[in-house]
Amino acid sequence: MIKNKIYELRVLSRYTQEELAKKLGVTRQTVISLEKERYIPSLEMGFKVARLFDKNIEEVFEYLNEE
């Protein structure tokens, strides 16, 4: 399972879901799915999100081993 901090980072940055979607080149529905952890982004999208918030990828995404 992969957890993320996209919602928290978006709120701290004062972006709306629509603004974040435009910056990432995705739809608002994709941002909603990312925030609710229903969608695991590609590695490329993960880096894009992290760079947008000026974070390392590990500061945005966390892999939880389910073993």
Side-chain angles (χ1 to χ4, degrees):
M1 172 182 250
I2 295 180
K3 307 280 288 169
N4 72 64
K5 297 180 180 173
I6 295 173
Y7 173 78
E8 294 88 347
L9 293 167
R10 178 180 63 78
V11 170
L12 286 172
S13 297
R14 297 188 174 167
Y15 291 139
T16 65
Q17 289 175 333
E18 188 66 34
E19 290 169 332
L20 180 58
K22 283 184 181 182
K23 289 182 179 291
L24 295 174
V26 298
T27 65
R28 182 173 168 261
Q29 289 74 23
T30 299
V31 170
I32 291 168
S33 293
L34 286 167
E35 289 183 350
K36 293 185 176 190
E37 299 174 346
R38 293 184 182 148
Y39 170 69
I40 298 172
S42 67
L43 187 56
E44 180 181 4
M45 178 61 65
F47 276 106
K48 213 172 181 181
V49 170
R51 288 183 179 159
L52 177 69
F53 292 116
D54 196 29
K55 302 283 183 192
N56 291 321
I57 199 162
E58 295 88 0
E59 294 176 284
V60 180
F61 299 95
E62 179 184 1
Y63 174 71
L64 302 174
N65 193 348
E66 294 183 358
E67 290 183 50

